[in-house]
Amino acid sequence: MKLKLISLVSGLFLAGAVWAQTVPNDFVEKLSNEVLTEVRNDAQMKQGDIGRISQLVDQKLMPHVNFERMTALTVGRPWRQATPAQKEAIMKEFRTLLIRTYANAFATVKDQKIQMRPFRGEADQKDVVVRSQVVQPGGDPIQLDYRLEKHGDDWRIYDVNVLGVWLVQTYRNQFGQEISAGGLDGLIKNLAAKNAQVAKGAKS
């Protein structure tokens, strides 16, 4: 059950509408509440429909997320030596991995609520951490924090923290092992294989 809850709050990062905001806490609160509303009202997403979730991500989230920075931080130093084709392939497979990893979590969306915690940064900061928690009936609050960067009048997400574990760091350890064993092409091959395996299991 705990793993499902972790997947749920991580999955909130993968779908939802985003607004241009000058206050990062307002941005995250509106984002999170919109995500919960979207999922509650969409039977296909709650059933883990990959196509529906992917469509929502493309239309409403990706334009407001610095996914290239997220992927670069996850890959680490080898990203600097990657060719444009390798970077594109890694981002494609990483995005698919994240969507498929958390797709089943949408089925657990019911009466959860987002509770914002006090913002500790300065109003003029360009790179901030926004803290929140998911409150659920009969359960303990789940920590859910975001790293955001300022982009004009908009905030863009590039990392998320669930229960003290940052997404970028989690995957960086995994990617680092695969890069050490087979280089960037090995990482791409392994990611593609994992995505294909999950997709095959979903169809069986």
Side-chain angles (χ1 to χ4, degrees):
M1 177 62 69
K2 185 175 181 179
L3 290 176
K4 287 185 177 180
L5 293 175
I6 292 174
S7 294
L8 166 62
V9 292
S10 298
L12 296 181
F13 169 74
L14 294 174
V18 179
W19 296 258
Q21 293 288 334
T22 56
V23 181
N25 265 34
D26 291 347
F27 163 85
V28 170
E29 186 173 21
K30 288 183 178 181
L31 164 65
S32 302
N33 286 325
E34 177 69 14
V35 170
L36 290 173
T37 300
E38 289 273 356
V39 177
R40 287 192 191 105
N41 296 331
D42 194 308
Q44 290 177 298
M45 278 200 295
K46 292 192 68 173
Q47 293 173 2
D49 187 309
I50 296 298
R52 180 71 185 93
I53 295 171
S54 182
Q55 181 183 23
L56 188 64
V57 168
D58 284 337
Q59 292 179 349
K60 294 188 176 181
L61 181 63
M62 293 307 290
H64 305 279
V65 173
N66 191 339
F67 194 66
E68 182 170 356
R69 182 180 182 185
M70 180 191 300
T71 309
L73 290 172
T74 304
V75 173
R77 289 186 178 181
W79 183 260
R80 301 174 186 174
Q81 285 75 48
T83 66
Q86 287 174 322
K87 290 180 178 180
E88 182 178 354
I90 293 171
M91 286 193 291
K92 175 179 177 293
E93 297 298 341
F94 187 32
R95 174 188 174 282
T96 301
L97 174 66
L98 291 176
I99 290 176
R100 291 193 177 279
T101 297
Y102 299 119
N104 292 335
F106 291 111
T108 67
V109 173
K110 293 182 180 178
D111 300 320
Q112 294 88 351
K113 296 182 179 180
I114 300 299
Q115 184 178 83
M116 302 306 299
R117 304 181 68 186
F119 179 58
R120 294 178 176 176
E122 300 294 334
D124 59 349
Q125 281 184 271
K126 304 298 183 182
D127 198 299
V128 302
V129 174
V130 171
R131 303 178 303 140
S132 68
Q133 58 186 11
V134 179
V135 180
Q136 51 190 352
D140 296 328
I142 302 172
Q143 177 185 356
L144 181 60
D145 304 333
Y146 296 88
R147 282 198 172 110
L148 312 173
E149 65 173 12
K150 196 68 177 293
H151 187 81
D153 293 329
D154 194 12
W155 288 101
R156 293 191 178 181
I157 301 171
Y158 67 91
D159 201 0
V160 61
N161 175 5
V162 183
L163 294 175
V165 179
W166 288 99
L167 181 148
V168 164
Q169 186 60 52
T170 298
Y171 281 102
R172 180 186 293 167
N173 295 334
Q174 175 185 322
F175 284 13
Q177 295 176 0
E178 295 181 359
I179 292 171
S180 296
L184 290 169
D185 287 336
L187 171 63
I188 295 169
K189 181 179 179 180
N190 288 338
L191 287 174
K194 290 176 183 177
N195 287 333
Q197 183 177 8
V198 173
K200 182 179 179 180
K203 295 178 180 179
S204 61

